[in-house]
Amino acid sequence: MRSVEEQLAFITDAAITPEPVRIAIANALGLMCAEEVQANQPLPGFPQAAIDGYAVRAVDIGGERPLRGEAEPERSLPVVGEVPAGSRQPLRLQPKQAVRVYTGAPLPTLADAVLPLEWTDRGRKRVTARRPVRSGEFVRRVGDDIQPGDVAVSSGSILGPAQIGLLAAVGRTKVLAYPRPRVSILSFGKELVDIDREPGLGQVFDVNSYALAAAAKEAGADVHRVGIAEGEPRRVREVLETQLGRSEVLVISGAVGGAGAEAVRDVLEELGDIDTSRVAMHPGSVQGFGLLGEERIPTFLVPSNPVSALVIFEIFIRPLIRVSLGKRNANRRVVRARALNNIESRPGRRGFIRARLMRDAETADYLVEGLGGASGSPAHLLAGLSEANAMIRVPEEVTDIRPGDVVDVHFLTQRS
């Protein structure tokens, strides 16, 4: 039986990073940049007001020492104009004058400071300064943010809101980035019907293709939910070959465990190598992984039980997707929390117990309530997983967790 670490290393080594493509910056959030983006112009490109106020010479209101022979500065100056943001009309400031300016407005020539509105009497024809302002204060100088030739966004960086903003600031409409890995989700099983049909005796809805597709999308993948694949072996092979040609990851539900999976596995073995060694974990011990097709596409086989399938996704498939996206930390955050109830785990297997994670209002300590695997609670029911926002990680040598024990807890998707 393979350990969780061995299986995870086996899987992440097979991650495929898609070839970079030019993507509109509006669609690039969360992707990894594949080029070094340099600025060809300074940012900002002109001196501008950093705050609403009055453009002045600092020396005229006592912000700087007057030159020899000049009179002491006055705190009251005539307002000779107004410059809004976006103005394209040049304006020259004369000594002992003020110009009303707004945030982002180009600074008049000779002005070297902006007197904040709050520091004045807000006069319209004449303004009185209640305190001085120094030269350069509340002014965005040319190139303060970026100089020509500066690297705005580095290759290998993840394109978050700040990086998207910088790309827009240097005038880029597109960026070379690694696209989201394409993940195809299929389900096999004669008992399955799609949710737009009424199941008959012995039939159940195809839950896994919807749940796994949602999980893959949440992980950052470009997802194609194929749905239920059925038919003769030749037809099954055609479906699989089509999806291998359009995917960086293939996830097949219902292809392990039980006699119904035998026919599917025969076809899979014709397309590549599939390893179905058991993994020392629960739920989800029965699973498979291999590299199929000419491009050796990472392919996962998960059981038909939705809880087992989603746990396998969380522990193995999600990290592979995150590695393909270039994420530096492919795994969820793990915290230490104090258990609130009794939890049972199988000996010799690492337990992943769905749970509800909370914080103590007074101490801010993490508290966790086991949902699946708790005493008297079935581990295979999907309803319990829908209530979970975390999973408790139980070591292989531990079979019982008691109230007050401190355990490792994985965050899951945050629920509002």
Side-chain angles (χ1 to χ4, degrees):
M1 190 175 289
R2 185 177 291 153
S3 72
V4 171
E5 285 81 9
E6 290 170 339
Q7 182 78 344
L8 187 59
F10 178 44
I11 288 168
T12 53
D13 283 347
I16 296 176
T17 300
E19 290 297 316
V21 296
R22 294 221 164 266
I23 297 173
I25 64 171
N27 300 322
L29 182 66
L31 303 183
M32 183 169 63
C33 186
E35 63 173 322
E36 187 173 83
V37 180
Q38 292 184 335
N40 53 22
Q41 294 180 347
L43 179 68
F46 56 89
Q48 59 182 235
I51 195 171
D52 288 356
Y54 298 85
V56 297
R57 296 194 318 159
V59 69
D60 289 338
I61 58 168
E64 304 291 336
R65 294 173 64 90
L67 298 175
R68 179 177 294 182
E70 287 190 353
E72 286 297 317
E74 297 181 14
R75 290 296 180 91
S76 180
L77 301 173
V79 180
V80 297
E82 182 177 282
V83 182
S87 173
R88 302 179 66 181
Q89 298 298 322
L91 188 63
R92 184 180 180 85
L93 184 72
Q94 298 299 325
K96 297 185 179 180
Q97 290 182 344
V99 170
R100 178 77 164 88
V101 291
Y102 295 84
T103 304
L107 216 61
T109 305
L110 295 187
D112 65 349
V114 174
L115 180 65
L117 203 60
E118 292 77 10
W119 295 5
T120 73
D121 64 353
R122 300 174 182 256
R124 294 186 177 182
K125 294 185 177 181
R126 193 171 188 88
V127 61
T128 299
R130 293 175 179 155
R131 56 182 290 188
V133 64
R134 295 189 302 274
S135 179
E137 275 197 293
F138 306 108
V139 172
R140 297 172 183 157
R141 295 186 176 90
V142 173
D144 266 355
D145 200 349
I146 294 177
Q147 293 284 351
D150 284 352
V151 176
V153 179
S154 301
S155 177
S157 61
I158 301 301
L159 296 171
Q163 288 74 25
I164 299 296
L166 278 170
L167 290 171
V170 300
R172 294 290 295 268
T173 60
K174 293 186 177 181
V175 63
L176 189 67
Y178 295 97
R180 304 180 191 284
R182 298 168 299 173
V183 177
S184 294
I185 313 287
L186 300 89
S187 289
F188 283 97
K190 294 181 179 180
E191 77 282 8
L192 299 177
V193 295
D194 207 346
I195 58 176
D196 59 355
R197 293 177 53 191
E198 187 70 27
L201 181 63
Q203 293 182 317
V204 295
F205 287 128
D206 171 26
V207 172
N208 275 1
S209 71
Y210 287 94
L212 293 169
K217 186 174 182 179
E218 188 271 335
D222 179 8
V223 182
H224 176 58
R225 190 191 69 83
V226 181
I228 303 168
E230 55 186 12
E232 296 299 319
R234 186 175 67 177
R235 171 58 182 158
V236 170
R237 178 171 179 142
E238 290 175 355
V239 171
L240 292 172
E241 288 179 328
T242 298
Q243 300 312 315
L244 289 171
R246 62 180 299 173
S247 310
E248 277 78 47
V249 180
L250 183 60
V251 182
I252 305 173
S253 168
V256 287
E262 292 294 335
V264 179
R265 289 206 298 274
D266 288 343
V267 175
L268 293 173
E269 288 172 0
E270 295 174 4
L271 298 173
D273 299 321
I274 287 287
D275 183 282
T276 55
S277 300
R278 280 183 173 263
V279 180
M281 61 182 286
H282 77 92
S285 173
V286 178
Q287 57 181 276
F289 176 76
L291 304 174
L292 301 187
E294 294 182 1
E295 300 298 323
R296 295 179 63 77
I297 301 301
T299 301
F300 292 87
L301 310 184
V302 301
S304 56
N305 176 265
V307 171
S308 297
L310 286 172
V311 169
I312 292 169
F313 183 96
E314 185 65 31
I315 303 304
F316 300 117
I317 306 176
R318 187 179 190 278
L320 181 76
I321 292 172
R322 304 296 283 177
V323 168
S324 298
L325 281 166
K327 303 297 184 182
R328 293 180 178 87
N329 187 355
N331 297 311
R332 301 270 199 188
R333 182 185 173 196
V334 177
V335 299
R336 300 280 284 169
R338 183 157 40 88
L340 296 177
N341 58 341
N342 289 308
I343 298 167
E344 298 174 356
S345 187
R346 296 183 185 179
R349 298 188 187 184
R350 183 170 304 176
F352 293 96
I353 310 301
R354 56 190 183 272
R356 185 181 295 112
L357 185 65
M358 301 161 277
R359 296 198 86 161
D360 189 295
E362 295 182 359
T363 66
D365 291 340
Y366 283 106
L367 308 174
V368 66
E369 178 187 9
L371 300 176
S375 298
S377 174
H380 65 279
L381 300 181
L382 185 61
L385 190 60
S386 70
E387 291 297 317
N389 63 357
M391 284 196 306
I392 299 170
R393 184 176 65 193
V394 184
E396 289 83 347
E397 68 276 10
V398 176
T399 58
D400 293 289
I401 293 173
R402 298 180 180 182
D405 289 349
V406 177
V407 294
D408 289 332
V409 181
H410 291 252
F411 277 92
L412 296 180
T413 304
Q414 296 298 308
R415 296 186 295 115
S416 57

